Structures are given as C-alpha cells and as structure tokens.
Amino acid sequence: DVKVTQSSRYLVKRTGEKVFLECVQDMDHENMFWYRQDPGLGLRLIYFSYDVKMKEKGDIPEGYSVSREKKERFSLILESASTNQTSMYLCASSAARQGSNQPQHFGDGTRLSIL
Amino acid sequence: GQNIDQPTEMTATEGAIVQINCTYQTSGFNGLFWYQQHAGEAPTFLSYNVLDGLEEKGRFSSFLSRSKGYSYLLLKELQMKDSASYLCAVRNGMGSGGGADGLTFGKGTHLIIQP
C-alpha cells in the first residue's frame, strides 16, 4: 500500500512565523502535490513537483514556497504565516506514467492554525 | 478558467441507489477522478474515467460524457459506511505529462445515508 506521511496532524503557529510542513512518501513516486482544503471551497492546488528540485505553481501559490531536495520528501513553507493560511493541508503523490490513470494518494492532512 | 459543479449535499436510504452528478468546464481535460473522503480523513481514490462510458467497480460505477462535460458516480446497495463526502476532480493535462499536473476539485458532495 502507498503510504504518504505528513509530519504533524495538528499544528499551531503565530502570525509572522516561518512554518514548515513536511511530507514523505514511500512508493518512489515521481510526482508530489500540496493542497489546502477549506469549508465551502474544497481542495485547491498550491504547488506540485514532478522531479527532484523541480516545482510548479498551482492555483493558489501566493504566500507559499516548496522544497524537493529528495525524491521521497516534499516540503511546504509558509515564509511569514498569516491568519488566512489557517487551513487543512493535504499532501499527495502519484507515479509518473504517460497516458495512464495513476491516481494521487493523499496523506492524512495537517490542520494548521495561525494565531 | 476551471469550474467543477456538484451538489452540496444528498440524502439516501440504506440499501438504495444514489447518483452523484458532476459537471465541469476546464481549459483542458486528461481524465476525471472520483474520491471518497470521510470526515477528518484523507481522500481515497474510487474511480477514473478518461474515455466516454461507464466504468464499474463493485458497488461503485462512474460514467463520463466528454462532449457534455458531465460525469456521475453511482453507488448501489448503500451501506451506512458510505456516509462521506464524494469529490469530483479533473486533471487538465496542461502539465509535462506523466500525470504531473494537479487536479482541480469540485467542492464535494456530502452524502448522508439514513437507516
């Protein structure tokens, strides 16, 4: 079974802090993704990566950055946390295979509160 | 732009059949996914359609009409454990290929199963 592990289930930080959310997958997947999920808005894509050191902006990248130094690990960084970044953050990974229906596998999520 | 619509909430009876509809208007199309998400848990993959027609997997089936921008998820022999949110998501295929592009999600349909 695919295992996507997010380092924290719950996290509380203060406005202006630098926040790191970590995600590790154990299936040697090429692709990794960060989403946030908010009531009434659904899941929205922040950033994704298709290879080590490669990153692409998603639909809502403002206020975030990412790091992919190793294939299995994808980090989401809030450079200066703000209250509107309080949300559930979900990491996902998928295998790269052209023309194939590779689903994304999600971690359990990190519920981040910015005070 | 990207727009995916699905009903906010539906109620059905244990043992019955329910159909959850999804319509989409996206700048590209490279497959449609259905996910199930129980409260407080990660989304889990249910089905994938890229060609028109019906895909059946046990009690769950999913249908796609690309010309109409329409999909539905059909759940048969409903069980109480099917109470969850059901997420429709489109892969727009604008990325580098190999599935390395994120998904655009609908806001989800909260399905309530009554005894």
Side-chain angles (χ1 to χ4, degrees), chain A residues 9 31 33 35 37 40-41 43 45 48 50 95-98 100-104 106-108, chain B residues 33 35 37 40-43 45 48 87 91 96-107:
Chain A
R9 197 70 198 272
N31 307 322
F33 309 83
Y35 295 86
Q37 185 173 29
L41 296 176
L43 277 86
L45 180 66
F48 63 97
Y50 54 89
R97 194 178 302 170
Q98 292 281 358
S100 182
N101 60 341
Q102 297 302 305
Q104 293 182 17
F106 286 83
D108 287 335
Chain B
F33 293 81
Y35 282 82
Q37 186 178 26
E41 298 183 9
F45 169 71
Y48 171 80
L87 313 179
R91 188 162 69 201
S96 60
D101 39 358
L103 300 177
T104 299
F105 281 84
K107 294 181 174 62

Side-chain angles (χ1 to χ4, degrees), chain B residues 47-80:
Chain B
S47 70
Y48 171 80
N49 296 72
V50 68
L51 299 176
D52 290 353
L54 188 69
E55 294 283 341
E56 297 188 79
K57 194 185 290 187
R59 293 190 300 116
F60 293 5
S61 304
S62 57
F63 172 83
L64 175 67
S65 169
R66 287 172 297 170
S67 62
K68 296 181 179 178
Y70 168 69
S71 174
Y72 67 72
L73 180 70
L74 193 71
L75 292 76
K76 304 175 186 175
E77 302 169 16
L78 286 170
Q79 303 174 9
M80 297 302 293

